Structure formats: structure tokens, C-alpha cells
Amino acid sequence: MTPDDFHLSSFLPYRLAVMSERVSRRLSVEYGRSHGLVVAEWRVLVHLLRCGAVSVRDIHNCVNLEKPRVSRAVSRLEMEGLVQKSQGEGDGRLVAISLTDAGRRALADIIPAATRIEEHLTAAVSAEDLDAFFRVMEHMHSVLDEDPEAKPRPTMDFNRGSEVMP
Amino acid sequence: MTPDDFHLSSFLPYRLAVMSERVSRRLSVEYGRSHGLVVAEWRVLVHLLRCGAVSVRDIHNCVNLEKPRVSRAVSRLEMEGLVQKSQGEGDGRLVAISLTDAGRRALADIIPAATRIEEHLTAAVSAEDLDAFFRVMEHMHSVLDEDPEAKPRPTMDFNRGSEVMP
DNA sequence: TCAATATCATTTCAAATGCAACGAATTTGG
DNA sequence: CCAAATTCGTTGCATTTGAAATGATATTGA
């Protein structure tokens, strides 16, 4: 491949960035207009719905956000009454962050719309193509997992050890 | 789908964001460490390699960057001698931005490494899966194209009209 | 036991970001 | 021909960002 044949528009990292940003922005219209949330707050809320009372560190590990960003998102959400912080039981450094009822209500409002957008994106895609799509995604992750220059893959919110609020 | 079954880690927009950011960061190690570039500057350089002398507006339309970001990226690149600005011929508002020899040399340095990363990501993927992958990407774009709430898809750097430096 | 080290959440601070406003140049329409 | 409206690139400004520092708590190991 000579450098002259190099196109941004066919370059995989660029195509991923464009797609990701386009989808992300479309989604943010949903939680932004209806509840004034930004992406960091949305991710924190969703993580809490699944994982209950967790620490900032745990959120940081699971939702691909830097720690300060999580900390600030949690503060804003607390001010708006969507989450609550309480002193962790054992370790005094940890903060136990959990959803309030208002937070749960907000999610109950947003999640159906978010799911609708997601489904709409792939509604006309065949099961085979969709399988292949995620197979390729998974493969790219595994390539990066082997690459010492790449950042580790974020922890998934399932199949984690017992390090959630020890 | 009840809200309780909603997982961030299986949510398509989130998965796209994680993959995109991971790939993008890995790539930025390449042009960052070797030439001190950031992603905006990298995109501008690549676009110029393909499209010659173009305006800020044209770059903005083609590389998915806001206009101020393009303007500032071009300024930095000019300071470092990788691009040059000249008065556009006809329209006095337009600025004709083009690569310098140093800019071309930088690209000749970076592009092979970037291509290697891209190839490595999909080297072990079957042609069928890769086709399916891009088919799904294209379909998601076409869904967003129909969505009035979504931002328009950026112009590709090929098959554009003659609106490049009219 | 207790000093040294590590981890947690937050804050600091400088840089990046993007919307909106701006001045300059061009196009439009009367 | 010229006033109004549009488009260009840049800059102002408030917000967001994240790496590093901070202070508080835990853990380690001698």
C-alpha cells in the first residue's frame, strides 16, 4: 500500500470513530433532552442499575470513564437526587454509590427509548451478519488485548469477581 | 425487555464507543509518539494528502471535526511546518491549505505504521465476516441517515462534487 | 507495633473543546 | 448598483477534560 492510496474514509479506526460518535450523539439526544444527562451520567446510572452499591473505582473499571469523570458525574447525579452516596461498610475509603427511586424512575423512562434506538439500528440486519459483526468486534478486542501499547479492555459488568464493594 | 435486563456491556452504542476509543488510542500512540500529533492534526494531514489544496470548510465536511477544531489544528500544523496556507485564488474568504514536503514526509513515516495496525486488527478475520462487518456498519449509517434527530454523515473524501476550492 | 507503601476519592490546574459571536468577503435580489 | 443576507475563517468564552497532586484510609512487612 503506497501512502497515496491511503483514504481516511476507508480507514478502519476512522470509520469506527465516525460511527461511534454518530450513534452516541443520537442516543444522547434521548437522555439529554428528557433528563438533562450527559454520557458519563447515563453510563453511571446504567451501571448502578445492574450492580447496586459500588465504589467510584468499580464504576471507573466497568464503564470506560476516567476516575475524575466518574467522581464528577456521581456528584452531579447526587445533586439531582438520582443517586445517593453512603460510607462503605468495611473500608473507610470506599464510597457506596447506589440509585435512588428517582434514579430508577429516570432509567425506566430512558431505557425503553435507548433500546428502541439500538434495535432500530440493526432491525433489518440478518442474524448471520450481526453475529459476524460481533465476532469481528470481539476479535479486534482480542488483538488489542495482546498489544502492550493498547489500553486494557474495560471490565464487563457481568462475570466480575467478588471485588465489588468487598 | 425489562429495564433490569439492560446491560451496558451488551449495549451496541456503548460497545461501539469502547471499541472506537480503544482503537483510536492505540493509533494515537503511533502518530503521537513519533510526531507529536493529536487526532485532529492526523486527520487533517491525511485529508490533505488525498485532496490537495482545500479550505477549512472542506476539511470540516470531510473529517468529522468541528470547524474551530480544524482551524486550530491547521494553525498548529502550520507552525510546525507540516502544512502551508495561501490565499485562495478566486474567493478571498477561502484559505488554500496544502501539505508541505515536511508534511508529506511525516505522513510517509506514519501511514505504514497506521496501516499495519489496521491490518493487524482484522488479519485473522475471514473475508466473509469482514464483508458482513462493513455491511452492518453501512446499514447503521443508512438508518441514521433517515433519522431527523441524527447528525448527517460526514462527506467522504472521494466521490465529492466539484465544490473543492471552487 | 509501626513506618513504608498502596489504594481510594477528590481536587487542582492547564489544556482541549465547541457553541456562539465576530469581522471580512461574497452572493443575492430588488 | 447597492443593501440585505450568506458564507468564510477565526476568536471569545464558558465548560469539559484528564493527568498529576492531595489528603485520607488501609495494607504490608520488617
Coordinates of all heavy atoms in Angstrom, one line a residue, chain A residues 19-108:
Chain A
M19 N -18.7 6.3 13.2 CA -19.9 5.5 13.6 C -20.2 5.7 15.1 O -21.4 6.0 15.5 CB -19.7 4.0 13.2 CG -20.8 3.1 13.7 SD -22.5 3.6 13.1 CE -22.2 3.2 11.3
S20 N -19.2 5.5 15.9 CA -19.4 5.6 17.3 C -20.0 6.9 17.7 O -20.9 7.1 18.5 CB -18.1 5.3 18.0 OG -18.2 5.7 19.4
E21 N -19.4 8.0 17.2 CA -19.8 9.3 17.5 C -21.2 9.6 17.1 O -22.0 10.2 17.8 CB -18.8 10.4 17.0 CG -18.8 11.6 17.8 CD -18.6 12.8 16.9 OE1 -17.5 12.9 16.3 OE2 -19.5 13.7 16.9
R22 N -21.5 9.1 15.9 CA -22.8 9.4 15.3 C -23.9 8.7 16.2 O -24.9 9.3 16.5 CB -22.9 8.9 13.9 CG -23.8 9.6 13.0 CD -23.7 9.3 11.5 NE -24.7 10.0 10.8 CZ -25.3 9.5 9.8 NH1 -25.0 8.2 9.4 NH2 -26.3 10.1 9.1
V23 N -23.7 7.5 16.5 CA -24.6 6.7 17.3 C -24.7 7.3 18.7 O -25.8 7.5 19.3 CB -24.2 5.2 17.4 CG1 -25.0 4.5 18.5 CG2 -24.3 4.6 16.1
S24 N -23.6 7.7 19.3 CA -23.5 8.2 20.6 C -24.3 9.5 20.7 O -25.1 9.8 21.7 CB -22.1 8.4 21.1 OG -22.0 8.9 22.4
R25 N -24.1 10.3 19.7 CA -24.8 11.6 19.7 C -26.3 11.5 19.6 O -27.1 12.2 20.2 CB -24.3 12.5 18.6 CG -23.1 13.4 19.0 CD -22.7 14.2 17.8 NE -23.2 15.6 18.0 CZ -22.5 16.6 18.6 NH1 -21.4 16.4 19.2 NH2 -23.0 17.8 18.6
R26 N -26.7 10.5 18.7 CA -28.1 10.3 18.5 C -28.7 9.8 19.8 O -29.8 10.2 20.2 CB -28.3 9.2 17.4 CG -29.8 8.8 17.3 CD -30.7 10.0 17.0 NE -32.1 9.7 17.0 CZ -32.9 9.8 18.0 NH1 -32.4 10.1 19.2 NH2 -34.2 9.5 17.9
L27 N -28.0 8.9 20.5 CA -28.5 8.4 21.8 C -28.6 9.5 22.9 O -29.6 9.6 23.6 CB -27.6 7.3 22.3 CG -28.0 6.7 23.6 CD1 -29.3 5.9 23.4 CD2 -26.9 5.8 24.2
S28 N -27.6 10.4 22.9 CA -27.6 11.4 23.9 C -28.7 12.4 23.7 O -29.1 13.1 24.7 CB -26.2 12.2 23.8 OG -26.2 13.1 22.8
V29 N -29.3 12.5 22.5 CA -30.5 13.3 22.4 C -31.6 12.8 23.3 O -32.3 13.6 23.9 CB -31.0 13.3 20.9 CG1 -32.3 13.9 20.8 CG2 -30.0 14.0 20.0
E30 N -31.6 11.5 23.4 CA -32.6 10.8 24.2 C -32.5 11.2 25.7 O -33.4 11.8 26.3 CB -32.5 9.3 24.0 CG -33.8 8.7 23.8 CD -34.6 9.3 22.6 OE1 -34.0 9.5 21.5 OE2 -35.8 9.6 22.8
Y31 N -31.4 10.8 26.3 CA -31.2 11.1 27.7 C -30.9 12.5 28.0 O -31.1 13.0 29.2 CB -30.2 10.1 28.4 CG -28.9 10.0 27.7 CD1 -28.0 11.1 27.7 CD2 -28.5 8.8 27.2 CE1 -26.7 10.9 27.1 CE2 -27.2 8.7 26.6 CZ -26.4 9.7 26.6 OH -25.1 9.6 26.0
G32 N -30.4 13.3 27.0 CA -30.2 14.7 27.3 C -31.4 15.5 27.3 O -31.7 16.2 28.3
R33 N -32.2 15.4 26.3 CA -33.4 16.2 26.2 C -34.4 15.9 27.3 O -35.1 16.7 27.9 CB -34.1 16.1 24.8 CG -35.0 17.2 24.5 CD -35.3 17.3 23.0 NE -35.5 16.0 22.4 CZ -35.5 15.7 21.1 NH1 -35.2 16.7 20.3 NH2 -35.8 14.5 20.7
S34 N -34.6 14.6 27.6 CA -35.6 14.2 28.5 C -35.2 14.4 30.0 O -36.0 14.7 30.8 CB -36.0 12.8 28.3 OG -34.9 11.9 28.4
H35 N -33.9 14.2 30.3 CA -33.5 14.2 31.7 C -32.2 15.0 31.9 O -31.6 15.0 33.0 CB -33.3 12.8 32.2 CG -34.6 12.0 32.4 ND1 -35.2 11.4 31.3 CD2 -35.3 11.8 33.5 CE1 -36.3 10.8 31.7 NE2 -36.4 11.1 33.0
G36 N -31.7 15.7 30.9 CA -30.6 16.6 31.1 C -29.3 15.8 31.5 O -28.4 16.4 32.2
L37 N -29.2 14.6 31.0 CA -28.0 13.8 31.4 C -26.9 14.0 30.3 O -27.2 14.2 29.1 CB -28.3 12.3 31.6 CG -29.4 12.0 32.6 CD1 -29.6 10.5 32.6 CD2 -29.0 12.5 34.0
V38 N -25.7 13.7 30.7 CA -24.6 13.6 29.7 C -24.2 12.1 29.7 O -24.5 11.4 30.6 CB -23.4 14.5 30.0 CG1 -23.9 16.0 29.9 CG2 -22.8 14.2 31.3
V39 N -23.3 11.8 28.8 CA -23.0 10.4 28.6 C -22.4 9.7 29.9 O -22.7 8.6 30.2 CB -22.1 10.2 27.4 CG1 -20.7 10.9 27.6 CG2 -21.9 8.7 27.1
A40 N -21.5 10.5 30.6 CA -20.9 9.9 31.8 C -22.0 9.6 32.8 O -22.0 8.5 33.4 CB -19.9 10.9 32.4
E41 N -23.0 10.5 32.9 CA -24.1 10.2 33.9 C -24.9 9.1 33.5 O -25.3 8.2 34.3 CB -24.9 11.5 34.1 CG -24.1 12.6 34.7 CD -24.6 14.0 34.4 OE1 -25.6 14.2 33.7 OE2 -24.0 15.0 34.9
W42 N -25.2 9.0 32.2 CA -26.0 7.9 31.7 C -25.3 6.5 32.0 O -25.9 5.6 32.5 CB -26.2 8.1 30.2 CG -26.5 6.9 29.4 CD1 -25.6 6.3 28.5 CD2 -27.7 6.1 29.4 NE1 -26.2 5.2 27.9 CE2 -27.5 5.0 28.4 CE3 -28.9 6.1 30.1 CZ2 -28.4 4.1 28.2 CZ3 -29.8 5.1 29.8 CH2 -29.6 4.1 28.9
R43 N -24.0 6.5 31.7 CA -23.3 5.2 32.0 C -23.3 4.9 33.4 O -23.5 3.7 33.8 CB -21.9 5.3 31.5 CG -21.8 5.3 30.0 CD -20.3 5.1 29.5 NE -20.2 5.4 28.1 CZ -19.0 5.6 27.5 NH1 -17.9 5.4 28.1 NH2 -19.0 5.8 26.2
V44 N -23.1 5.8 34.3 CA -23.1 5.6 35.7 C -24.4 5.0 36.2 O -24.5 4.0 36.9 CB -22.7 6.9 36.5 CG1 -23.0 6.7 38.0 CG2 -21.3 7.2 36.3
L45 N -25.5 5.7 35.7 CA -26.8 5.2 36.1 C -27.0 3.7 35.7 O -27.5 2.9 36.5 CB -27.9 6.1 35.5 CG -28.1 7.5 36.2 CD1 -29.2 8.2 35.4 CD2 -28.3 7.4 37.6
V46 N -26.7 3.5 34.5 CA -27.0 2.1 34.0 C -26.1 1.1 34.7 O -26.6 0.0 35.1 CB -26.7 2.0 32.4 CG1 -26.7 0.6 32.0 CG2 -27.6 2.9 31.7
H47 N -24.9 1.5 35.0 CA -24.1 0.5 35.8 C -24.7 0.3 37.2 O -24.7 -0.9 37.6 CB -22.7 1.1 35.9 CG -21.7 0.2 36.7 ND1 -21.3 -1.0 36.2 CD2 -21.2 0.3 37.9 CE1 -20.5 -1.6 37.0 NE2 -20.4 -0.9 38.1
L48 N -25.2 1.3 37.8 CA -25.7 1.1 39.1 C -27.0 0.3 39.1 O -27.2 -0.5 40.0 CB -26.1 2.5 39.7 CG -24.9 3.4 40.1 CD1 -25.3 4.7 40.6 CD2 -23.9 2.7 41.1
L49 N -27.8 0.4 38.0 CA -29.0 -0.4 37.9 C -28.6 -1.9 38.0 O -29.3 -2.7 38.6 CB -29.7 -0.1 36.6 CG -31.0 -0.9 36.4 CD1 -32.0 -0.6 37.4 CD2 -31.5 -0.6 35.0
R50 N -27.5 -2.2 37.4 CA -27.1 -3.6 37.3 C -26.3 -4.1 38.6 O -26.5 -5.2 39.1 CB -26.3 -3.9 36.1 CG -25.6 -5.2 36.1 CD -25.5 -5.8 34.7 NE -25.2 -7.2 34.8 CZ -26.2 -8.2 35.0 NH1 -27.4 -7.8 35.1 NH2 -25.8 -9.4 35.1
C51 N -25.5 -3.2 39.1 CA -24.5 -3.6 40.1 C -24.7 -3.1 41.5 O -23.9 -3.3 42.4 CB -23.1 -3.2 39.6 SG -22.6 -4.1 38.1
G52 N -25.8 -2.4 41.7 CA -26.2 -2.0 43.1 C -25.2 -1.0 43.7 O -24.8 -0.1 43.0
A53 N -24.8 -1.2 45.0 CA -24.0 -0.2 45.6 C -22.5 -0.5 45.3 O -22.0 -1.6 45.7 CB -24.2 -0.3 47.2
V54 N -21.9 0.4 44.6 CA -20.5 0.2 44.2 C -19.7 1.4 44.4 O -20.2 2.5 44.7 CB -20.4 -0.2 42.7 CG1 -21.1 -1.5 42.4 CG2 -21.1 0.9 41.9
S55 N -18.4 1.3 44.3 CA -17.5 2.4 44.5 C -17.2 3.1 43.2 O -17.5 2.7 42.1 CB -16.1 1.8 45.1 OG -15.5 1.0 44.1
V56 N -16.6 4.3 43.4 CA -16.1 5.1 42.2 C -15.2 4.2 41.4 O -15.3 4.1 40.1 CB -15.4 6.4 42.6 CG1 -14.8 7.0 41.4 CG2 -16.5 7.3 43.2
R57 N -14.3 3.6 42.0 CA -13.3 2.7 41.3 C -14.0 1.6 40.5 O -13.6 1.4 39.4 CB -12.4 2.1 42.4 CG -11.4 1.1 41.8 CD -10.5 1.8 40.8 NE -9.1 1.6 41.1 CZ -8.1 2.1 40.4 NH1 -8.4 2.9 39.4 NH2 -6.9 1.9 40.7
D58 N -15.0 1.0 41.1 CA -15.7 0.0 40.3 C -16.3 0.5 39.1 O -16.3 -0.1 38.0 CB -16.7 -0.7 41.3 CG -17.5 -1.7 40.5 OD1 -17.0 -2.8 40.3 OD2 -18.7 -1.5 40.1
I59 N -17.0 1.7 39.2 CA -17.6 2.3 38.1 C -16.6 2.6 37.0 O -16.7 2.3 35.8 CB -18.4 3.6 38.5 CG1 -19.4 3.2 39.5 CG2 -19.0 4.2 37.3 CD1 -20.1 4.5 40.1
H60 N -15.5 3.2 37.5 CA -14.4 3.5 36.6 C -13.9 2.3 35.8 O -13.7 2.3 34.6 CB -13.2 4.1 37.4 CG -11.9 4.0 36.7 ND1 -11.6 4.8 35.6 CD2 -10.8 3.3 37.0 CE1 -10.3 4.5 35.2 NE2 -9.8 3.6 36.1
N61 N -13.8 1.2 36.5 CA -13.3 -0.1 35.8 C -14.3 -0.6 34.8 O -13.9 -1.3 33.9 CB -13.0 -1.1 36.9 CG -11.7 -0.9 37.6 OD1 -10.8 -0.2 37.0 ND2 -11.6 -1.3 38.8
C62 N -15.6 -0.3 35.0 CA -16.6 -1.0 34.2 C -17.2 -0.2 33.1 O -17.9 -0.8 32.2 CB -17.8 -1.5 35.1 SG -17.3 -2.8 36.2
V63 N -17.1 1.1 33.1 CA -17.9 1.9 32.1 C -17.0 2.8 31.3 O -17.5 3.6 30.6 CB -19.0 2.8 32.8 CG1 -19.9 1.9 33.7 CG2 -18.4 3.9 33.6
N64 N -15.7 2.5 31.3 CA -14.8 3.2 30.4 C -14.7 4.7 30.5 O -14.8 5.4 29.6 CB -15.1 2.8 28.9 CG -13.9 2.8 28.0 OD1 -12.8 2.4 28.4 ND2 -14.1 3.3 26.8
L65 N -14.7 5.1 31.8 CA -14.6 6.5 32.1 C -13.4 6.7 33.1 O -13.3 5.9 34.0 CB -15.9 7.1 32.7 CG -17.1 7.1 31.9 CD1 -18.3 7.5 32.7 CD2 -17.0 8.0 30.7
E66 N -12.7 7.8 32.9 CA -11.6 8.1 33.9 C -12.2 8.4 35.2 O -13.4 8.8 35.4 CB -10.8 9.3 33.4 CG -10.0 9.1 32.1 CD -9.1 7.8 32.2 OE1 -8.4 7.7 33.2 OE2 -9.2 7.0 31.3
K67 N -11.4 8.1 36.3 CA -11.9 8.3 37.6 C -12.5 9.7 37.9 O -13.5 9.8 38.5 CB -10.8 7.9 38.6 CG -11.2 6.8 39.6 CD -10.2 6.5 40.7 CE -8.8 6.9 40.4 NZ -8.0 6.7 41.6
P68 N -11.7 10.8 37.6 CA -12.3 12.1 37.9 C -13.7 12.3 37.2 O -14.6 12.9 37.8 CB -11.3 13.0 37.3 CG -10.0 12.3 37.3 CD -10.4 10.9 37.0
R69 N -13.8 11.8 36.0 CA -15.1 11.9 35.3 C -16.2 11.2 36.1 O -17.3 11.7 36.2 CB -14.9 11.4 33.9 CG -15.7 12.2 32.9 CD -15.3 11.9 31.5 NE -16.4 12.1 30.6 CZ -16.4 11.6 29.4 NH1 -15.4 10.8 29.0 NH2 -17.5 11.8 28.6
V70 N -15.9 10.0 36.5 CA -16.9 9.3 37.3 C -17.2 10.1 38.6 O -18.4 10.3 38.9 CB -16.4 7.9 37.7 CG1 -17.3 7.2 38.7 CG2 -16.2 7.1 36.5
S71 N -16.2 10.5 39.3 CA -16.4 11.3 40.5 C -17.3 12.5 40.3 O -18.3 12.7 41.1 CB -15.1 11.7 41.1 OG -15.2 12.4 42.3
R72 N -17.1 13.2 39.2 CA -17.9 14.4 39.0 C -19.3 14.0 38.5 O -20.3 14.7 38.9 CB -17.2 15.3 37.9 CG -15.9 15.9 38.5 CD -15.3 16.9 37.5 NE -14.2 16.5 36.8 CZ -12.9 17.0 37.0 NH1 -12.7 17.9 37.9 NH2 -11.9 16.5 36.3
A73 N -19.4 13.0 37.7 CA -20.7 12.5 37.3 C -21.6 12.1 38.5 O -22.8 12.5 38.6 CB -20.6 11.4 36.3
V74 N -20.9 11.4 39.4 CA -21.7 11.0 40.6 C -22.1 12.2 41.4 O -23.3 12.2 41.9 CB -20.8 10.0 41.4 CG1 -21.4 9.8 42.8 CG2 -20.6 8.7 40.7
S75 N -21.3 13.2 41.5 CA -21.6 14.4 42.3 C -22.8 15.1 41.7 O -23.8 15.4 42.4 CB -20.5 15.4 42.3 OG -19.4 14.8 43.1
R76 N -22.8 15.2 40.4 CA -24.0 15.8 39.7 C -25.2 15.0 39.9 O -26.3 15.6 40.2 CB -23.7 16.0 38.2 CG -22.9 17.3 37.9 CD -22.8 17.5 36.3 NE -22.1 16.3 35.7 CZ -20.9 16.3 35.1 NH1 -20.3 17.5 35.0 NH2 -20.4 15.2 34.6
L77 N -25.1 13.7 39.7 CA -26.3 12.9 39.9 C -26.8 12.9 41.3 O -28.0 12.9 41.6 CB -25.9 11.4 39.5 CG -25.7 11.2 38.0 CD1 -25.1 9.8 37.8 CD2 -27.0 11.3 37.3
E78 N -25.9 13.1 42.3 CA -26.3 13.1 43.7 C -27.1 14.5 43.9 O -28.1 14.5 44.5 CB -25.1 13.1 44.6 CG -25.5 13.0 46.1 CD -24.3 13.0 47.0 OE1 -23.3 13.7 46.6 OE2 -24.4 12.5 48.1
M79 N -26.5 15.5 43.3 CA -27.2 16.8 43.5 C -28.6 16.8 42.9 O -29.5 17.4 43.4 CB -26.4 17.9 42.8 CG -25.2 18.4 43.5 SD -24.7 20.1 43.0 CE -24.9 20.0 41.2
E80 N -28.8 16.0 41.8 CA -30.1 16.0 41.2 C -30.9 14.9 41.8 O -32.1 14.6 41.3 CB -29.9 15.7 39.7 CG -28.9 16.7 39.1 CD -29.1 17.0 37.6 OE1 -29.9 16.2 37.0 OE2 -28.5 17.9 37.1
G81 N -30.4 14.2 42.8 CA -31.2 13.2 43.5 C -31.4 11.9 42.8 O -32.3 11.1 43.2
L82 N -30.6 11.6 41.9 CA -30.7 10.3 41.1 C -29.9 9.2 41.8 O -30.1 8.0 41.5 CB -30.4 10.5 39.7 CG -31.2 11.5 38.9 CD1 -30.9 11.6 37.5 CD2 -32.7 11.3 39.1
V83 N -28.9 9.5 42.5 CA -28.1 8.5 43.2 C -27.8 9.0 44.6 O -28.0 10.2 45.0 CB -26.7 8.3 42.5 CG1 -26.9 8.0 41.1 CG2 -25.7 9.4 42.8
Q84 N -27.4 8.1 45.5 CA -27.0 8.5 46.9 C -25.7 7.9 47.2 O -25.3 6.8 46.7 CB -28.1 8.1 47.9 CG -28.3 6.6 47.8 CD -29.7 6.2 48.5 OE1 -30.3 7.1 49.1 NE2 -30.1 5.0 48.3
K85 N -24.9 8.6 48.0 CA -23.6 8.1 48.5 C -23.7 7.8 49.9 O -24.4 8.5 50.7 CB -22.5 9.2 48.3 CG -22.1 9.5 46.9 CD -20.8 10.3 47.0 CE -20.8 11.5 46.0 NZ -19.5 12.2 46.1
S86 N -23.1 6.7 50.3 CA -23.1 6.4 51.8 C -21.7 5.8 52.1 O -21.0 5.2 51.2 CB -24.2 5.4 52.2 OG -24.1 4.2 51.4
Q87 N -21.3 5.9 53.3 CA -20.0 5.4 53.7 C -20.0 3.9 53.5 O -20.9 3.2 53.9 CB -19.7 5.7 55.2 CG -18.6 6.7 55.4 CD -17.6 6.9 54.3 OE1 -16.9 6.0 53.8 NE2 -17.6 8.1 53.7
G88 N -19.0 3.4 52.8 CA -18.8 1.9 52.7 C -18.7 1.3 54.1 O -18.2 1.9 55.0
E89 N -19.2 0.1 54.2 CA -19.2 -0.6 55.5 C -17.8 -0.8 56.0 O -17.4 -0.2 57.0 CB -19.9 -2.0 55.3 CG -21.4 -1.8 55.0 CD -22.1 -1.0 56.1 OE1 -22.1 -1.4 57.3 OE2 -22.7 0.0 55.7
G90 N -17.1 -1.7 55.3 CA -15.8 -2.0 55.8 C -14.7 -1.0 55.6 O -14.4 -0.2 56.5
D91 N -14.3 -0.8 54.4 CA -13.2 0.1 54.0 C -13.7 1.5 54.0 O -14.6 1.9 53.3 CB -12.7 -0.3 52.6 CG -11.4 0.4 52.3 OD1 -11.2 1.5 52.7 OD2 -10.5 -0.2 51.7
G92 N -13.1 2.3 54.9 CA -13.5 3.7 55.0 C -13.2 4.6 53.9 O -13.7 5.7 53.8
R93 N -12.3 4.1 52.9 CA -12.0 5.0 51.8 C -13.1 4.9 50.7 O -13.4 5.8 50.0 CB -10.7 4.5 51.1 CG -9.5 4.8 52.0 CD -8.3 4.0 51.5 NE -8.6 2.6 51.4 CZ -7.7 1.7 50.9 NH1 -6.6 2.1 50.5 NH2 -8.0 0.4 50.9
L94 N -13.8 3.7 50.7 CA -14.7 3.5 49.6 C -16.0 4.2 49.9 O -16.4 4.5 51.0 CB -15.0 2.0 49.5 CG -13.9 1.1 49.2 CD1 -14.3 -0.3 49.2 CD2 -13.4 1.5 47.8
V95 N -16.7 4.6 48.8 CA -18.0 5.3 48.9 C -19.0 4.3 48.2 O -18.7 3.8 47.1 CB -18.0 6.6 48.1 CG1 -19.3 7.3 48.2 CG2 -16.9 7.5 48.7
A96 N -20.1 4.0 48.9 CA -21.1 3.2 48.3 C -22.1 4.0 47.6 O -22.9 4.7 48.2 CB -21.7 2.3 49.4
I97 N -22.1 3.9 46.2 CA -23.0 4.7 45.4 C -24.1 3.8 44.9 O -23.9 2.7 44.5 CB -22.2 5.3 44.2 CG1 -21.1 6.1 44.7 CG2 -23.2 6.0 43.3 CD1 -19.9 6.2 43.7
S98 N -25.3 4.3 45.1 CA -26.5 3.5 44.7 C -27.6 4.4 44.1 O -27.6 5.6 44.4 CB -27.0 2.6 45.8 OG -27.3 3.5 46.9
L99 N -28.5 3.8 43.4 CA -29.6 4.5 42.8 C -30.6 4.9 43.8 O -30.8 4.2 44.8 CB -30.3 3.6 41.7 CG -29.6 3.4 40.4 CD1 -30.4 2.4 39.6 CD2 -29.4 4.7 39.7
T100 N -31.2 6.0 43.6 CA -32.4 6.4 44.4 C -33.6 6.0 43.6 O -33.5 5.5 42.5 CB -32.5 7.9 44.6 OG1 -32.6 8.5 43.3 CG2 -31.3 8.4 45.4
D101 N -34.8 6.1 44.2 CA -36.0 5.8 43.4 C -36.1 6.7 42.2 O -36.6 6.2 41.1 CB -37.2 5.9 44.3 CG -37.3 4.7 45.3 OD1 -36.7 3.7 45.1 OD2 -38.0 4.8 46.3
A102 N -35.8 7.9 42.4 CA -35.8 8.9 41.3 C -34.9 8.4 40.2 O -35.2 8.5 39.0 CB -35.5 10.3 41.8
G103 N -33.7 7.9 40.6 CA -32.8 7.4 39.6 C -33.4 6.2 38.8 O -33.3 6.1 37.6
R104 N -34.0 5.3 39.6 CA -34.6 4.2 38.9 C -35.8 4.6 38.0 O -35.9 4.1 36.9 CB -35.2 3.2 40.0 CG -34.4 1.9 40.1 CD -34.9 1.0 41.2 NE -34.7 1.6 42.5 CZ -33.5 1.4 43.2 NH1 -32.6 0.6 42.7 NH2 -33.4 1.9 44.4
R105 N -36.5 5.6 38.4 CA -37.6 6.1 37.6 C -37.0 6.7 36.3 O -37.5 6.5 35.2 CB -38.4 7.2 38.3 CG -39.5 6.6 39.2 CD -40.5 7.7 39.6 NE -39.9 8.7 40.3 CZ -39.7 8.7 41.7 NH1 -40.1 7.7 42.4 NH2 -39.2 9.7 42.3
A106 N -35.9 7.5 36.4 CA -35.3 8.1 35.2 C -34.9 7.0 34.2 O -35.1 7.1 33.0 CB -34.1 8.9 35.6
L107 N -34.3 5.9 34.8 CA -33.8 4.8 33.9 C -35.0 4.2 33.3 O -35.0 3.8 32.1 CB -33.0 3.8 34.7 CG -31.6 4.3 35.0 CD1 -30.9 3.2 35.9 CD2 -30.8 4.4 33.7
A108 N -36.1 4.0 34.0 CA -37.3 3.3 33.5 C -37.8 4.1 32.3 O -38.4 3.6 31.4 CB -38.3 3.1 34.6

